[in-house]
């Protein structure tokens, strides 16, 4: 089914979001009549290649012409003709802008379709999915188009001013070259009067241009402050949420388009101001507005260029180890990690190669951590447009490695923070000159955790989740000196993301409820219940030698390495207390069983089944949990298939008949069996 047909089948609340996407920049009428053709083109690619965008614009207009010639409805044909004219006027000089608008619309359509099929988002996801995002994007597109149009008009005005000044200059020099004896004639007086009129017009035109320039500069300044910077900050927040398993990260290409168009407008205005500087070398006079106003306007333009380009220097891919790609922002000493930075402004040619330097812990005062680190490998690399398909300047550091610089005195005793609570950062620096403006670039990664052993990975990932869940501060090394609490609504959402990221399937409401009760007791039924950092991952579960997070993280590893197929087939109930387990099974027929994760063992899974006693009562029997050491030797599905209970005087039999609530065992597990046979074992009848 085409994307447009899927859109038309959505509920009204989603169709309202679609309605926001379409206006005069991209009329819905085009989307309707050319839906199949539009969806068959690569608008994402065209939005970054002007030649391709130009071809697609031409083809789009041809498609509209063909549709008009075939249209029988007079009113519809009239509307299509008007749309065709409008597109030619609006995009003929800016085909990239048209491709960007259509690319954004199609991408947002896909997001709307996907969101219509998702369950209700949690508080963190809602925080980065503003309901007015579509309206903001439309407004931003319109403002950028208006600014570009105003700057183009200024180009024409400056050219007209130059022609007017050349005319004045020629007339003035001609008059000056005449014989002094002719200067008092009537013709000379008329020429002087005419020169004064031209000079007055020249002065008026200069003031008018400078006034319009001031207005455009103010509009660009307002655009950057009120929309571009907030959009960039929102993207960075979405990147944080994505790092800990949240929704897919999009929108950077759209940001790049806005940043680039704003920068192009500023560079063009700087050239216009340079031109005005050339003009006053030929013609100037007392109270010349160019001499009086140009220096201030030039400083404003330079400041905005500097600010815009500095803001556009971002970490596109946060540091991550290829050995643990789903746990970014954790770095192990001696292990390679990768990161990528990007400049969102497409620059004209710079004076030299743009080199980026990496610095570890630039802003961390000595003595604040157990150990200091340095980068072993090359710390400098050149940004290259070839490394990215979208035409921007970017650089990817693929083989960075850090090591201990030296042991601090703090290494010899336990400080207030553990190693996995110490936050580090990776900074990136570059500098270059462009059109006479020197620009120093700097950006940094989100806070990092450095580990020296894989055993610290569990604690390190807990720190990364907690920090990025609760704050959008780019750098706060003291965060864990007094970590804030999280609401259960926030934490449960992030925990579900861990399962969807690592296993492909998130947790349902019942599973999250059980986890909440395990962590906080019965009060966990309310999303606003508060959870402390210590309760989450530092304090041991009562009666157990491990914390809540360590218990859960070991289960994640068990699923990923040994149980993934049957987990994704919903064969494992998983998180269910013994009390709930009894309530589920007590009225079921003998042989009904369920699979749950052990509450007493790290990384263990067990099964419990119903057995009818001699008195006719239902008894629940559980087995000793299976851990990774046993599951490494034999698939869990085979264990269930071949499990036998051996009792004195009885033929060994498999007591597992029906997967809860009553599905025949082989129907659930057959596709997960392999030919290997396992040996039956005597059941352990102790409740676990």
């Amino acid at each position: 089914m085409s994307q447009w047909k899927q859109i038309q089948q959505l509920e009204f609340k989603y169709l309202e979001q679609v309605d926001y996407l379409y206006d005069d920049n991209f009329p819905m009428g085009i989307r309707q009549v050319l839906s199949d053709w539009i969806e068959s083109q690569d608008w994402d690619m065209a939005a970054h290649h002007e030649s391709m965008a130009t071809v697609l614009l031409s083809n789009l207009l041809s498609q509209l012409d063909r549709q008009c010639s075939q249209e029988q409805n007079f009113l519809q044909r009239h509307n299509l003709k008007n749309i065709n004219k409008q597109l030619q006027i609006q995009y003929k000089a800016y085909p990239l802008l048209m491709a960007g608008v259509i690319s954004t619309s199609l991408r947002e359509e896909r997001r709307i379709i996907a969101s219509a099929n998702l369950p209700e988002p949690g508080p963190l996801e809602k925080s980065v999915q503003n309901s007015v995002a579509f309206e903001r994007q439309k407004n931003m597109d319109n403002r950028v188009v208006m600014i570009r149009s105003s700057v183009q008009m200024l180009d024409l005005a400056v050219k007209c001013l130059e022609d007017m000044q050349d005319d004045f200059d020629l007339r003035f020099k001609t008059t000056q070259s005449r014989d002094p004896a002719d200067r008092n004639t009537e013709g000379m007086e008329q020429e002087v009067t005419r020169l004064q009129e031209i000079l007055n017009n020249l002065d008026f035109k200069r003031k008018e241009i400078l006034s319009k320039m001031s207005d455009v500069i103010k509009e660009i300044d307002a655009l950057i402050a009120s929309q571009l910077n907030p959009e960039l900050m929102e993207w960075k927040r979405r990147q944080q949420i994505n790092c800990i398993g949240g929704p897919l990260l999009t929108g950077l290409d759209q940001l790049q388009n806005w940043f680039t168009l704003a920068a192009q407008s500023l560079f063009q205005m700087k050239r216009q101001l340079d031109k005005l500087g050339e003009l006053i070398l030929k013609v100037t006079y007392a109270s010349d507005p160019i001499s009086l106003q140009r220096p201030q306007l030039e400083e404003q333009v330079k400041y905005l260029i500097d600010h815009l380009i500095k803001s556009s220097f971002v970490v596109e891919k946060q540091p991550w180890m290829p050995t643990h790609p789903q746990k970014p922002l954790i770095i192990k000493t001696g292990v390679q990690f990768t990161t990528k930075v990007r400049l969102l402004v497409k620059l004209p040619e710079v004076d030299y190669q743009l080199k980026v330097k990496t610095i570890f812990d630039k802003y961390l005062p000595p003595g604040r951590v157990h150990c200091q680190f340095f980068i072993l490998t090359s710390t400098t690399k050149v940004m290259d447009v070839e490394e990215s398909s979208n035409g921007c300047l970017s650089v990817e550091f693929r083989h960075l490695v850090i090591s201990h610089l030296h042991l601090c005195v703090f290494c010899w005793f336990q400080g207030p923070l553990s190693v996995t609570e110490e936050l580090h950062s990776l900074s990136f620096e570059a500098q270059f000159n462009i059109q006479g403006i020197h620009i120093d670039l700097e950006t940094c990664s989100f806070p990092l955790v450095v580990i020296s052993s894989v055993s610290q990975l569990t604690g390190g990932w807990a720190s990364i989740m907690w920090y990025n869940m609760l704050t959008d501060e780019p750098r706060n090394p003291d965060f864990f000196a007094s970590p804030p609490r999280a609401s259960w609504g926030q934490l449960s959402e992030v925990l579900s993301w861990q399962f969807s990221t690592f296993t492909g399937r998130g947790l349902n409401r019942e599973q999250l409820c059980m986890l909440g009760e395990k962590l906080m007791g019965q009060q966990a039924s309310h999303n606003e219940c508060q959870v402390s950092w210590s309760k989450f991952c530092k304090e041991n579960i009562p009666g157990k030698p491990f914390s809540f997070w360590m218990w859960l993280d070991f289960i994640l590893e068990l699923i990923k390495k040994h149980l993934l197929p049957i987990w994704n087939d919903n064969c494992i109930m998983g998180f269910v207390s013994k009390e709930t387990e009894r309530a589920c099974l007590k009225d079921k027929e003998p042989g009904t069983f369920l699979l749950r994760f052990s509450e007493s063992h790290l990384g263990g899974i067990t099964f419990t089944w119903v057995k009818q006693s001699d008195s006719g009562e239902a008894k629940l029997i559980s087995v000793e949990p299976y851990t990774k050491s046993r599951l490494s030797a034999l698939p869990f599905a085979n264990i269930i298939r071949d499990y036998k209970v051996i009792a004195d005087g009885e033929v060994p039999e498999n007591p597992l008949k029906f997967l809860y609530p009553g599905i025949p065992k082989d129907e659930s597990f057959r596709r997960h069996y392999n030919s290997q046979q396992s040996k039956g074992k005597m059941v352990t009848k102790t409740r676990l």
Side-chain angles (χ1 to χ4, degrees):
M1 185 185 298
S2 71
Q3 185 170 308
W4 187 243
K5 286 183 179 178
Q6 293 180 61
I7 287 289
Q8 292 171 315
Q9 295 179 5
L10 295 177
E11 296 178 18
F12 179 74
K13 64 178 181 179
Y14 296 108
L15 291 176
E16 282 188 315
Q17 296 180 23
V18 176
D19 186 52
Y20 277 121
L21 297 176
Y22 296 100
D23 55 14
D24 290 343
N25 289 322
F26 185 24
M28 191 178 289
I30 301 178
R31 185 68 179 94
Q32 172 69 29
V33 299
L34 299 180
S35 59
D36 292 339
W37 182 84
I38 287 173
E39 291 177 29
S40 67
Q41 311 304 312
D42 191 347
W43 298 102
D44 293 336
M45 179 73 75
H48 301 100
H49 294 85
E50 188 163 4
S51 59
M52 185 177 178
T54 303
V55 171
L56 282 183
L57 173 59
S58 175
N59 291 344
L60 175 63
L61 297 175
S62 298
Q63 291 286 334
L64 271 179
D65 282 335
R66 186 177 299 109
Q67 191 69 32
C68 283
S69 64
Q70 297 172 356
E71 182 59 55
Q72 299 300 315
N73 185 290
F74 172 77
L75 181 59
Q76 178 72 349
R77 185 165 63 250
H78 172 77
N79 289 339
L80 291 175
K81 285 182 178 179
N82 285 340
I83 289 174
N84 194 317
K85 292 178 182 177
Q86 174 187 323
L87 291 179
Q88 292 188 57
I89 293 171
Q90 192 164 355
Y91 293 124
K92 189 173 183 180
Y94 311 108
L96 278 176
L97 189 57
M98 177 214 66
V101 168
I102 298 179
S103 171
T104 299
S105 298
L106 294 177
R107 183 170 61 250
E108 288 302 318
E109 282 182 6
R110 292 191 291 271
R111 192 195 62 76
I112 292 169
I113 292 171
S115 65
N117 296 318
L118 290 176
E120 182 70 17
L124 283 172
E125 188 169 345
K126 285 180 179 177
S127 72
V128 295
Q129 289 184 352
N130 196 314
S131 60
V132 298
F134 308 111
E135 193 64 33
R136 288 205 320 267
Q137 286 197 4
K138 281 173 50 180
N139 180 264
M140 178 76 86
D141 287 336
N142 290 336
R143 288 184 73 177
V144 169
V145 169
M146 289 176 61
I147 288 171
R148 292 295 295 151
S149 177
S150 298
V151 173
Q152 294 292 344
M153 294 299 293
L154 280 171
D155 254 1
L156 296 175
V158 171
K159 183 65 173 67
C160 180
L161 178 67
E162 183 179 20
D163 292 341
M164 185 185 299
Q165 179 172 302
D166 287 345
D167 179 50
F168 172 83
D169 191 39
L170 179 61
R171 285 173 175 266
F172 181 78
K173 288 179 178 178
T174 301
T175 302
Q176 289 292 99
S177 65
R178 288 190 179 180
D179 191 317
D182 296 335
R183 292 184 179 179
N184 295 324
T185 63
E186 183 178 348
M188 179 61 76
E189 291 179 358
Q190 291 177 350
E191 183 62 22
V192 170
T193 301
R194 177 60 182 154
L195 282 172
Q196 187 61 54
E197 290 176 356
I198 296 175
L199 185 60
N200 291 341
N201 288 337
L202 197 63
D203 182 68
F204 175 81
K205 194 68 176 177
R206 287 183 172 186
K207 290 177 179 177
E208 182 182 51
I209 289 174
L210 291 166
S211 176
K212 289 181 179 178
M213 281 186 168
S214 179
D215 290 341
V216 174
I217 291 171
K218 289 177 182 176
E219 176 62 22
I220 296 175
D221 190 11
L223 175 77
I224 294 172
S226 66
Q227 288 190 280
L228 266 184
N229 285 344
E231 288 287 344
L232 180 60
M233 294 307 297
E234 185 174 311
W235 178 84
K236 289 181 178 180
R237 181 57 181 156
R238 294 201 305 272
Q239 187 183 37
Q240 274 188 286
I241 297 301
N242 173 257
C243 281
I244 56 174
L248 291 175
L249 184 62
T250 61
L252 195 59
D253 288 344
Q254 179 63 70
L255 271 174
Q256 177 177 294
N257 185 49
W258 290 331
F259 268 88
T260 296
L261 289 173
Q264 287 174 348
S265 297
L266 288 168
F267 283 125
Q268 196 168 349
M269 293 194 71
K270 185 179 182 304
R271 290 192 295 270
Q272 292 165 359
L273 288 167
D274 290 342
K275 188 64 178 179
L276 293 181
E278 295 174 8
L279 293 181
I280 61 173
L281 295 177
K282 298 179 180 178
V283 176
T284 190
Y285 44 88
S287 300
D288 185 344
I290 294 180
S291 299
L292 296 174
Q293 299 178 41
R294 177 179 167 273
Q296 181 181 0
L297 294 178
E298 190 171 41
E299 284 303 310
Q300 291 174 349
V301 168
K302 287 181 178 180
Y303 169 79
L304 290 176
I305 289 174
D306 179 75
H307 174 74
L308 190 68
I309 294 179
K310 283 181 176 178
S311 300
S312 77
F313 191 46
V314 299
V315 182
E316 182 179 358
K317 293 180 181 178
Q318 295 292 330
W320 61 281
M321 295 187 295
T323 54
H324 295 84
Q326 293 160 323
K327 290 185 176 179
L329 304 176
I330 295 180
I331 297 174
K332 183 177 180 295
T333 53
V335 175
Q336 291 184 353
F337 66 94
T338 296
T339 186
K340 182 179 180 181
V341 292
R342 173 169 166 180
L343 198 63
L344 298 181
V345 172
K346 292 183 183 179
L347 295 173
E349 292 297 324
V350 293
D351 295 344
Y352 52 86
Q353 289 182 323
L354 188 51
K355 295 181 180 179
V356 178
K357 182 181 180 182
T358 59
I359 305 172
F360 200 81
D361 276 345
K362 177 179 179 181
Y363 294 103
L364 195 63
R368 292 287 295 278
V369 294
H370 285 73
C371 296
Q372 293 181 329
F373 303 93
F374 72 103
I375 300 175
L376 280 173
T377 48
S378 174
T379 60
T380 303
K381 205 171 179 183
V382 176
M383 296 192 87
D384 191 352
V385 73
E386 298 299 327
E387 287 196 19
S388 175
S389 61
N390 55 27
C392 68
L393 282 171
S394 64
V395 60
E396 187 167 17
F397 293 87
R398 295 193 182 95
H399 307 294
L400 293 174
V401 178
I402 64 167
S403 181
H404 300 283
L405 180 63
H406 59 77
L407 290 177
C408 302
V409 64
F410 296 99
C411 288
W412 299 103
F413 64 91
Q414 180 64 44
L417 300 180
S418 68
V419 170
T420 56
E421 292 175 312
E422 293 173 351
L423 300 177
H424 304 263
S425 68
L426 186 65
S427 300
F428 304 88
E429 295 180 349
Q431 55 181 238
F432 66 100
N433 292 288
I434 183 167
Q435 295 191 12
I437 305 173
H438 180 80
I439 297 177
D440 292 306
L441 299 176
E442 182 174 347
T443 191
C444 68
S445 69
F446 295 145
L448 309 170
V449 169
V450 178
I451 62 176
S452 57
S453 168
V454 175
S455 64
Q456 297 169 324
L457 194 62
T458 296
W461 186 239
S463 298
I464 295 300
M465 286 192 299
W466 204 263
Y467 186 95
N468 290 287
M469 173 175 59
L470 296 178
T471 182
D472 59 2
E473 293 182 84
R475 189 166 50 238
N476 182 0
D478 297 322
F479 179 84
F480 284 104
S482 181
R485 291 171 174 261
S487 72
W488 174 243
Q490 291 173 310
L491 182 56
S492 63
E493 183 179 17
V494 173
L495 294 181
S496 183
W497 287 345
Q498 304 317 299
F499 281 82
S500 59
T501 298
F502 286 90
T503 72
R505 181 167 71 87
L507 302 180
N508 59 34
R509 188 184 302 274
E510 290 74 21
Q511 291 168 328
L512 289 171
C513 184
M514 182 271 174
L515 288 178
E517 290 178 1
K518 186 173 183 65
L519 182 61
M520 299 178 293
Q522 295 298 322
Q523 62 174 325
S525 58
H526 301 289
N527 279 341
E528 296 308 313
C529 290
Q530 299 293 300
V531 185
S532 71
W533 165 245
S534 181
K535 185 80 171 176
F536 174 64
C537 75
K538 301 191 77 173
E539 299 174 9
N540 286 343
I541 297 173
K544 304 294 187 298
F546 46 79
S547 68
F548 171 84
W549 169 244
M550 180 175 287
W551 170 75
L552 193 62
D553 193 48
F554 271 65
I555 289 173
L556 273 166
E557 285 296 311
L558 188 74
I559 293 173
K560 185 171 68 170
K561 293 181 178 178
H562 303 291
L563 304 172
L564 194 57
I566 60 174
W567 168 261
N568 285 329
D569 269 0
N570 290 311
C571 296
I572 301 175
M573 183 173 287
F575 300 104
V576 53
S577 66
K578 295 175 184 177
E579 294 74 18
T580 303
E581 177 188 68
R582 176 171 292 277
C584 290
L585 293 177
K586 66 179 182 178
D587 296 325
K588 295 298 180 180
E589 63 179 292
T592 302
F593 68 99
L594 60 76
L595 311 180
R596 65 175 176 86
F597 298 116
S598 172
E599 296 183 76
S600 57
H601 289 65
L602 278 178
I605 186 169
T606 183
F607 46 84
T608 301
W609 73 89
V610 180
K611 178 182 179 181
Q612 192 171 29
S613 66
D614 294 338
S615 63
E617 294 182 358
K619 294 177 61 178
L620 301 186
I621 312 297
S622 296
V623 298
E624 185 76 14
Y626 290 86
T627 59
K628 64 179 181 180
S629 59
R630 299 174 71 184
L631 295 177
S632 297
L634 195 65
F636 193 49
N638 279 30
I639 293 174
I640 292 171
R641 179 191 65 188
D642 302 325
Y643 189 82
K644 297 287 192 302
V645 172
I646 304 174
D648 292 339
E650 295 182 11
V651 177
E653 66 171 351
N654 190 328
L656 310 178
K657 307 297 182 184
F658 306 101
L659 180 66
Y660 180 86
I663 307 170
K665 176 185 65 179
D666 289 342
E667 184 179 321
S668 297
F669 293 95
R670 181 181 291 112
R671 59 182 166 275
H672 304 301
Y673 298 153
N674 64 28
S675 59
Q676 183 179 0
Q677 293 289 317
S678 59
K679 295 181 180 180
K681 293 183 179 291
M682 172 67 76
V683 63
T684 303
K685 297 188 178 182
T686 305
R687 292 286 301 174
L688 300 169

